[in-house]
Amino acid sequence: MKLIDFFDRGASLGPEHPCLIDDLGVRSYAQVQAMTHRVANACLHDGIDIGTKVAVYSPNQSRAFEALLGCMRAGCAWVPVNARAALDEVVHTLELTDTELLLYSASLGHEVAEIARRCPALRRYVCIDADGLARVPALPIGHLRLDQWLDGMAETSPERDYDDDALAALFCTGGTTGLPKAVMTSHRIWEARISATLLRIPSNERPVQLIAAPMTHAAGAGALELMVRGSTTVILPGFDPERVIRAIGQHRVTHLFLPPTAIYRLLAHPQVGQGDYSSLRYFTYAAAPMSVDRLKEAITIFGPVMEQGYGGTELGTSACTLQPADHVQALAEGNDLRLTSCGRATPLTRLEIMDDEGRLLPAGTMGEIVVRSHCTASGYYKNPEETARAFAGGWYHSGDIGFKDAEGWVYLRDRKKDLIISGGFNVYPSEVERVLMSHPLVQDCAVVGVPHGDWGEAVTAVVECKAGASVGADALIDWAKQKLSNYKVPKSVEFRELPRSPVGKVLKRVIRDAYWKNAGRSI
């Protein structure tokens, strides 16, 4: 099946069933399907070939989702572009992927004008929402409104034949360790990923998924994967704790994904205890480790619905899962260690631990997490060197350090590049971060190694306190001393806002570089 076939299967379950809901209203599957037909025909009329890269550059909204589905129906490859990303990063993504068609929101008109100047390979610009906004500046010459582009286009699907191994999407990595790479995924890979999702989060009811995180990343991919079940996707323009709380009860949301940083903000909101969460079935958290104390708090408030996914741009929505029942069992047994696990490998995934010489390691031994699966990406676009390195020997080499116990539970300890070597000892920052995050006044933190004349690297913590709270550096260091070996305890603590990517990941590279740029090297 092609990726669009899964949407059509969902539409066949009830054409009049709500498909997309946003601030502008409700769109049924029949309405969305008709729009995708017109978009696909407009692509064909424009001479856009199968495999052409098409970027959708927009905040979260139904019109953007319809546009990307239409381009998929035309056999184009979707290039997600985060509306909150820095302009230089957007330009780099468009140039890296050889994008030719840009579908954009009028709210980003000023950025698009600069993109047009810097990206000569782009040959068509379509403003997807100019016809629906009260105030829209005149579009630049050569740009079309969506209604102009679709004028006269049939609401029947064009016949476009392409192989299952054709490129379906080019997702760029988050860029937390450097410039993004474009990850290639085919229709066949998406078929495997959707199968894995249906195994991971089974349901006998129509899902109602809430998108509050950027739809250009895990939230959007998850919505695509659930549409085969005829799901309803509720789209918020961005993450707002109060709106998330209200939307869950109002729309009877069953499925929700948020990164831990957003969940922390949700838990800290004064209205979180007043929400109706009885409809929730799967509240998935991923993209970063989550504090055990915050996780327990989330289960208390939202119910036994928390589900962790370990995956990534190259792996899909998850290679491992810690199911809601696993959380409940760990709580009943008082097993806090299990709550730090990212679960067991999903049925379509083989996950092992490997040393630097390429040998698979026994249970309980620390090493790099490697994965084999049909869900895994096929490589990096126009980057054979990185592809050969990351996918060597038929395994995807994650760069994550962890171990697997005798029962198959996987424990992620850190990124290889985040490892701190202080006085000859290995310090895994995530372990220190978990301890600091357990302090009742700490909202979030990042631990890095900074240059030190005697130890090589000194453990340093950068901390964000909860709103209206403050705590001293000495108090946090004393807190850590009660729970950690001395060599793991931060030697210094700084308090400031953490730099984050547009999807909420803490940019440790940015933090480290500020310390190392005057030390003769950058990590």
Side-chain angles (χ1 to χ4, degrees):
M1 292 175 69
K2 309 298 191 294
L3 185 49
I4 194 64
D5 294 336
F6 291 95
F7 165 79
D8 286 339
R9 177 70 59 84
S12 73
L13 300 177
E16 300 310 315
H17 188 77
C19 176
L20 301 173
I21 301 175
D22 68 3
D23 287 348
L24 295 179
V26 181
R27 299 279 288 171
S28 70
Y29 267 91
Q31 289 173 313
V32 174
Q33 192 173 48
M35 177 63 79
T36 67
H37 293 162
R38 296 183 69 198
V39 170
N41 282 311
C43 288
L44 188 63
H45 182 265
D46 243 4
I48 294 173
D49 296 328
I50 291 169
T52 297
K53 287 71 173 184
V54 177
V56 180
Y57 184 37
S58 168
N60 288 358
Q61 60 167 319
S62 292
R63 185 62 63 83
F65 216 106
E66 290 180 335
L68 75 89
L69 286 169
C71 292
M72 289 175 180
R73 189 178 295 283
C76 301
W78 173 35
V79 178
V81 181
N82 194 316
R84 294 175 55 198
L87 184 60
D88 284 350
E89 184 179 334
V90 174
V91 169
H92 177 78
T93 296
L94 298 175
E95 290 183 325
L96 173 66
T97 56
D98 298 319
T99 296
E100 296 183 36
L101 168 62
L102 183 66
L103 305 173
Y104 69 93
S105 168
S107 63
L108 296 165
H110 294 297
E111 290 83 355
V112 171
E114 179 65 13
I115 287 169
R117 187 182 69 81
R118 296 170 61 180
C119 297
L122 281 167
R123 61 187 181 90
R124 169 65 77 196
Y125 295 83
V126 178
C127 184
I128 61 175
D129 54 10
D131 55 329
L133 297 178
R135 293 183 184 176
V136 178
L139 297 180
I141 296 174
H143 291 222
L144 297 175
R145 298 193 314 267
L146 185 65
D147 58 329
Q148 294 173 319
W149 193 49
L150 300 182
D151 186 35
M153 297 300 144
E155 292 188 357
T156 55
S157 182
E159 292 297 327
R160 306 213 84 178
D161 187 28
Y162 47 93
D163 189 82
D164 291 348
D165 290 318
L167 192 61
L170 277 172
F171 276 76
C172 282
T173 57
T176 56
T177 57
L179 285 176
K181 301 182 289 291
V183 178
M184 298 186 292
T185 52
S186 67
H187 292 270
R188 192 185 304 276
I189 290 169
W190 276 94
E191 186 172 15
R193 290 184 175 186
I194 291 170
S195 300
T197 295
L198 299 182
L199 287 169
R200 190 182 101 243
I201 48 176
S203 175
N204 294 321
E205 58 186 339
R206 280 183 184 265
V208 179
Q209 172 133 328
L210 177 63
I211 292 183
M215 57 178 280
T216 49
H217 292 72
L224 280 173
E225 292 167 351
L226 289 179
M227 281 184 165
V228 67
R229 291 182 178 157
S231 62
T232 296
T233 302
V234 181
I235 302 174
L236 298 183
F239 176 73
D240 178 288
E242 185 173 340
R243 290 203 63 180
V244 169
I245 293 166
R246 188 167 62 247
I248 292 172
Q250 176 185 351
H251 297 285
R252 307 299 297 162
V253 169
T254 61
H255 293 65
L256 168 63
F257 161 79
L258 287 174
T261 52
I263 297 176
Y264 299 159
R265 288 179 58 195
L266 195 61
L267 292 172
H269 196 276
Q271 296 181 15
V272 69
Q274 303 169 23
D276 177 4
Y277 311 116
S278 58
S279 60
L280 280 177
R281 298 293 178 267
Y282 290 93
F283 190 159
T284 299
Y285 61 100
M290 187 165 173
S291 158
V292 170
D293 291 330
R294 300 292 201 288
L295 182 54
K296 290 179 179 179
E297 185 182 354
I299 294 171
T300 299
I301 291 175
F302 302 114
V305 297
M306 302 306 294
E307 188 257 349
Q308 182 180 176
Y310 166 68
T313 310
E314 293 87 349
L315 295 172
T317 50
S318 69
C320 279
T321 177
L322 191 69
Q323 287 284 296
D326 299 328
H327 288 80
V328 171
Q329 182 178 354
L331 282 174
E333 296 174 352
N335 190 347
D336 282 7
L337 177 63
R338 180 64 48 77
L339 292 176
T340 69
S341 168
C342 51
R344 287 175 164 138
T346 51
L348 299 184
T349 299
R350 183 183 175 194
L351 184 149
E352 300 290 350
I353 308 298
M354 184 178 285
D355 66 14
D356 290 340
E357 282 70 48
R359 295 173 298 208
L360 298 184
L361 300 172
T365 308
M366 199 83 74
E368 182 179 15
I369 296 173
V370 294
V371 174
R372 274 184 178 169
S373 170
H374 288 299
C375 301
T376 303
S378 54
Y380 300 114
Y381 183 65
K382 296 193 337 184
N383 197 336
E385 295 82 9
E386 280 296 303
T387 298
R389 182 198 61 77
F391 297 87
W395 295 93
Y396 170 64
H397 298 254
S398 69
D400 290 328
I401 299 296
F403 67 93
K404 185 169 65 170
D405 70 16
E407 296 180 320
W409 299 101
V410 178
Y411 294 85
L412 177 65
R413 284 296 173 257
D414 250 306
R415 295 287 298 170
K416 269 187 173 182
K417 292 184 178 181
D418 289 344
L419 178 67
I420 300 168
I421 303 177
S422 183
F425 291 97
N426 288 351
V427 179
Y428 294 98
S430 61
E431 180 183 5
V432 185
E433 288 162 359
R434 277 194 295 271
V435 168
L436 295 177
M437 286 288 294
S438 69
H439 192 283
L441 299 181
V442 172
Q443 174 75 10
D444 206 350
C445 69
V447 171
V448 298
V450 305
H452 191 278
D454 295 327
W455 303 321
E457 293 181 271
V459 180
T460 297
V462 180
V463 173
E464 281 184 11
C465 290
K466 291 184 176 179
S470 63
V471 61
D474 290 341
L476 278 184
I477 291 172
D478 288 341
W479 179 272
K481 285 180 177 178
Q482 298 173 35
K483 303 169 187 294
L484 294 168
S485 299
N486 189 57
Y487 69 90
K488 299 177 183 178
V489 173
K491 301 300 182 287
S492 62
V493 178
E494 296 184 11
F495 298 91
R496 64 173 185 268
E497 184 177 356
L498 296 169
R500 290 185 173 87
S501 72
V503 294
K505 287 187 178 182
V506 174
L507 296 172
K508 286 191 176 181
R509 171 179 52 84
V510 174
I511 297 172
R512 277 195 301 263
D513 283 354
Y515 293 105
W516 287 91
K517 64 182 180 181
N518 296 321
R521 65 185 178 102
S522 177
I523 296 179

